[in-house]
Amino acid sequence: MLEYLHVKNLALIEECEIDFTSGLNIFTGETGAGKSILLGSVNLCLGQRADKSMIRHGAKEALVELAFRADERTKARLEEMDLSTDDDTVLILRKITPDKSIFKINGETVLVKQVKEIAEGLIDIHGQHEHQSLLNNTKQRDLIDAFGGEKILKALSKVKECCSLYKDVSGKYEELRESSSDAKRQIDFLSFECEEISEANLIVGEDEELEENYKLMKSAGKICEGVAEAIAAISGDNSEDAGSFVSHAIHKMNQVASIDENVNSMLDKLSEAEALLGDFALEASRYLNTLSFDEENMAATEERLDKINTLKSKYGNSIEIILKKLDEKSEELELLKNLDENLEKLSKQTEEALKAYEEACDELSRLRETSAVEFSKMLKSDLLELNFEGVEFRVDIDKNDIISPNGRDNIEFMISTNPGEPLKPLKNVASGGELSRIMLAIKTIMAAKDSIDSLIFDEIDAGISGKTAWEVSKKLSRLSKDHQVIAITHLAQIAAMADTHFEIKKTVFNDSTKTTISRLDSDGEIEELSRLVGGGNITQSARSNAIELKNEAKKLK
């Protein structure tokens, strides 16, 4: 159930908070007061696209918050998303700035698709123009499927699985059949490619190792020259190397050490230096001996790299990709080598897949027919309650020869709104007011099928008045016994049925326009009903009519 709405700096709303109740929540207000902002706020918070122009003039950002009481199914969804479920409340927040939007659920930043997924189980919103979707055959089919519940959804899932399998198998069959006319050439070509890759005996990672070795080989001369010169500078065969100079220095220091003992510490340092120079010369000589790259080895490495790079240019930019291509081409080659056998095998698999696909479609059609009969019966009953006297309603299902992932059924809602008139497609008959009532009837029977607690209706009363308005109000009231219903209306008959009545008002102060939403007490309800009855002219007669309407609504509840 929707428990709370907080809106700040959105369009004409500076800031408002609404505490919703269970039962029937009614919103009324003058034309242009901003009734659409209420529905717009909810839609924005639940993922509808936002525009920076929606931010109230002079404000830096807009904010919408919705608080729902969560059922076990919603809490389970939150847990699947690793979102907090500390209590029974789901708090959805959206902040809109000129540059971006931020969504949060229970304080944690989320993606818009997560908000939409959670919202699906929390609330059903019927906008002013949604009833036009009833004229679409796809929407009609979806309604029958949703009404049929889990059985139809499983059958539809089965059809989609069979369709996918059939397309996969038949695609392979057609591809192999088309290639059969040129099989010999393809076999020769694939054989050449497989042999070319196989003969290379590629090893994953060898190209990187070869590149490194080749780099060292190309630099071997320079490395050898540099190391040899360094060794010569340390321990050459002449008296000009560093080792000779250090030895001469040690000799001189030994001559004076007997005269002054303080010289010994310096002599020790020279001896350490002589030892380090000797260690370096030995290690460098050993390293030099390891650099034994010959031209033949370098040529072989270069040739191997050229071979690998040629294969990369033809089959993929890594050895892993090349080896994967080899597997694919080997499989394709095997199919072609056993062409007749594989064609027969794939042909049989295609026939079996098509048969399973058609059987799944037939089962889906059977379930839809059962669902359509029950749907028609329930909808007709509800339409009679909504002042469709003598109405007849039927769901026609025509089976196509061509099947699709949605089955083979064309679904058409057929209706006659006048006794004696033949049934015709809904799109050819119903007026705007009739469509809004039909949608209300559909929402009513669908609400009994699902577990969504809250329903919002924006001007479901379009194009109706008088007795029909009373029937719509009674239907909304009955619906609100098991669901929270939020309705925006301009009809007094519907407003009178409110369990909780809110007024939406636009005011201008200091050249600034703002919309406010307030909950009415008993006196406020009568005053607002009087305005609705009197068309803005609140007379004593209008007040008397308003009181009478409220009393009549209490009797009908």
Side-chain angles (χ1 to χ4, degrees):
M1 186 181 95
L2 178 59
E3 295 184 322
Y4 172 77
L5 167 67
H6 174 215
V7 184
K8 186 174 182 180
N9 294 326
L10 184 72
L12 295 178
I13 296 179
E14 185 174 34
E15 186 166 19
C16 80
E17 296 178 273
I18 302 173
D19 291 305
F20 294 95
T21 66
S22 58
L24 182 57
N25 295 256
I26 291 292
F27 287 80
T28 59
E30 293 276 9
T31 301
K35 296 191 291 295
S36 60
I37 297 177
L38 172 68
L39 185 62
S41 301
V42 176
N43 279 324
L44 282 173
C45 198
L46 298 180
Q48 189 180 71
R49 289 192 63 179
D51 188 276
K52 64 181 181 181
S53 63
M54 297 174 174
I55 301 173
R56 181 175 170 81
H57 180 68
K60 293 181 179 179
E61 61 184 31
L63 179 76
V64 185
E65 290 179 285
L66 295 175
F68 292 90
R69 188 189 307 151
D71 57 15
E72 292 304 317
R73 184 178 65 170
T74 300
K75 285 190 277 188
R77 282 186 179 180
L78 288 171
E79 288 178 3
E80 288 172 6
M81 296 180 184
D82 293 325
L83 296 172
S84 170
T85 55
D86 293 337
D87 53 30
D88 291 338
T89 299
V90 181
L91 182 63
I92 302 175
L93 175 146
R94 184 176 190 180
K95 185 187 292 184
I96 303 167
T97 71
D99 301 319
K100 61 182 179 180
S101 284
I102 296 172
F103 288 92
K104 291 187 177 184
I105 296 178
N106 289 349
E108 298 183 45
T109 303
V110 295
L111 301 173
V112 63
K113 66 177 183 179
Q114 291 174 288
V115 173
K116 289 181 177 180
E117 184 179 339
I118 288 296
E120 283 177 1
L122 293 172
I123 195 164
D124 183 7
I125 302 172
H126 174 80
Q128 291 185 39
H129 306 295
E130 187 191 347
H131 56 264
Q132 293 296 328
S133 66
L134 274 179
L135 305 181
N136 183 286
N137 295 110
T138 299
K139 173 68 173 180
Q140 294 173 5
R141 184 194 67 211
D142 292 344
L143 282 169
I144 295 301
D145 288 352
F147 182 80
E150 194 64 27
K151 285 184 179 180
I152 285 186
L153 293 179
K154 283 184 179 179
L156 184 58
S157 177
K158 178 69 174 176
V159 167
K160 293 183 187 297
E161 288 175 14
C162 289
C163 173
S164 178
L165 177 62
Y166 171 70
K167 285 183 176 179
D168 182 50
V169 175
S170 61
K172 288 180 179 178
Y173 172 71
E174 287 300 323
E175 188 178 339
L176 189 60
R177 190 173 64 83
E178 287 174 7
S179 47
S180 63
S181 60
D182 199 20
K184 187 178 184 309
R185 186 189 65 81
Q186 289 190 66
I187 287 172
D188 290 342
F189 185 63
L190 285 169
S191 295
F192 167 77
E193 290 185 316
C194 290
E195 187 176 343
E196 182 180 38
I197 298 173
S198 297
E199 284 183 347
N201 292 316
L202 297 173
I203 300 172
V204 174
E206 70 166 311
D207 51 342
E208 295 169 3
E209 186 178 343
L210 286 167
E211 289 281 2
E212 188 64 30
N213 290 339
Y214 186 68
K215 191 187 300 181
L216 286 173
M217 288 177 188
K218 287 193 72 174
S219 305
K222 188 175 182 180
I223 294 171
C224 288
E225 183 182 347
V227 174
E229 287 179 0
I231 293 172
I234 296 300
S235 57
D237 294 331
N238 56 69
S239 59
E240 300 295 321
D241 60 80
S244 297
F245 283 122
V246 172
S247 295
H248 181 71
I250 290 173
H251 174 71
K252 292 296 182 183
M253 292 298 284
N254 271 322
Q255 289 177 347
V256 298
S258 59
I259 301 172
D260 186 356
E261 290 183 356
N262 292 325
V263 173
N264 286 327
S265 63
M266 290 182 283
L267 182 59
D268 289 341
K269 286 183 173 62
L270 280 172
S271 297
E272 288 176 12
E274 185 179 39
L276 286 171
L277 288 172
D279 290 343
F280 165 77
L282 180 61
E283 186 176 344
S285 296
R286 287 173 179 169
Y287 172 71
L288 201 58
N289 290 333
T290 65
L291 298 176
S292 57
F293 303 127
D294 56 35
E295 290 186 7
E296 185 178 342
N297 188 21
M298 185 171 177
T301 301
E302 189 172 14
E303 183 181 352
R304 180 64 174 170
L305 277 173
D306 286 343
K307 177 69 173 176
I308 292 173
N309 288 330
T310 299
L311 293 174
K312 282 183 178 180
S313 67
K314 292 177 70 174
Y315 303 110
N317 57 12
S318 73
I319 290 179
E320 290 92 335
I321 294 174
I322 295 170
L323 293 175
K324 185 179 178 182
K325 288 281 187 183
L326 175 60
D327 291 339
E328 292 173 356
K329 290 177 182 298
S330 297
E331 184 180 344
E332 189 178 348
L333 180 60
E334 193 61 32
L335 279 172
L336 286 169
K337 283 181 177 178
N338 301 285
L339 186 63
D340 292 338
E341 180 184 338
N342 286 312
L343 271 173
E344 185 179 348
K345 182 179 177 182
L346 282 172
S347 176
K348 185 177 180 181
Q349 288 178 351
T350 300
E351 289 175 7
E352 290 173 351
L354 179 58
K355 183 180 178 183
Y357 187 10
E358 290 177 331
E359 287 175 353
C361 288
D362 290 340
E363 174 62 12
L364 177 59
S365 295
R366 187 186 66 77
L367 291 171
R368 280 174 172 163
E369 287 169 355
T370 302
S371 177
V373 171
E374 186 182 355
F375 180 87
S376 299
K377 182 179 178 182
M378 291 181 67
L379 187 63
K380 178 182 175 181
S381 176
D382 276 51
L383 290 177
L384 288 170
E385 291 177 3
L386 288 169
N387 207 32
F388 278 92
E389 295 180 2
V391 69
E392 292 294 335
F393 182 86
R394 184 181 72 226
V395 178
D396 281 355
I397 301 179
D398 293 326
K399 293 183 178 61
N400 283 322
D401 293 331
I402 300 173
I403 54 180
S404 78
N406 291 302
R408 62 163 83 248
D409 306 311
N410 279 332
I411 290 181
E412 186 82 65
F413 284 4
M414 307 290 290
I415 193 168
S416 169
T417 56
N418 297 301
E421 288 290 322
L423 279 82
K424 296 178 182 177
L426 181 64
K427 59 191 173 191
N428 297 340
V429 177
S431 64
E434 287 172 333
L435 279 177
S436 64
R437 279 184 287 157
I438 293 168
M439 180 59 86
L440 174 57
I442 289 172
K443 293 284 185 181
T444 302
I445 62 176
M446 295 301 292
K449 285 279 182 179
D450 59 42
S451 58
I452 295 177
D453 286 333
S454 302
L455 300 120
I456 295 182
F457 295 97
D458 183 16
E459 298 196 20
I460 195 72
D461 51 24
I464 63 171
S465 60
K467 180 183 176 183
T468 302
W470 272 118
E471 298 304 329
V472 170
S473 71
K474 286 191 287 185
K475 177 64 70 176
L476 288 171
S477 180
R478 282 195 293 274
L479 186 58
S480 70
K481 302 300 179 188
D482 300 310
H483 300 77
Q484 179 192 46
V485 177
I486 300 165
I488 301 168
T489 186
H490 64 278
L491 289 182
Q493 294 95 324
I494 293 176
M497 199 67 76
D499 295 313
T500 307
H501 193 155
F502 297 90
E503 181 185 16
I504 302 174
K505 185 181 291 186
K506 183 168 70 176
T507 57
V508 180
F509 183 73
N510 288 339
D511 295 327
S512 177
T513 304
K514 68 177 182 179
T515 292
T516 58
I517 303 174
S518 56
R519 181 173 175 173
L520 300 177
D521 57 17
S522 299
D523 292 339
E525 284 187 68
I526 296 301
E527 196 71 9
E528 178 63 2
L529 285 175
S530 300
R531 183 191 66 78
L532 292 172
V533 170
N537 222 352
I538 302 178
T539 63
Q540 189 55 46
S541 174
R543 283 194 175 88
S544 297
N545 285 338
I547 294 169
E548 187 178 341
L549 280 172
K550 195 66 183 175
N551 290 334
E552 181 65 21
K554 288 177 181 177
K555 291 178 188 176
L556 293 171
K557 282 185 179 182

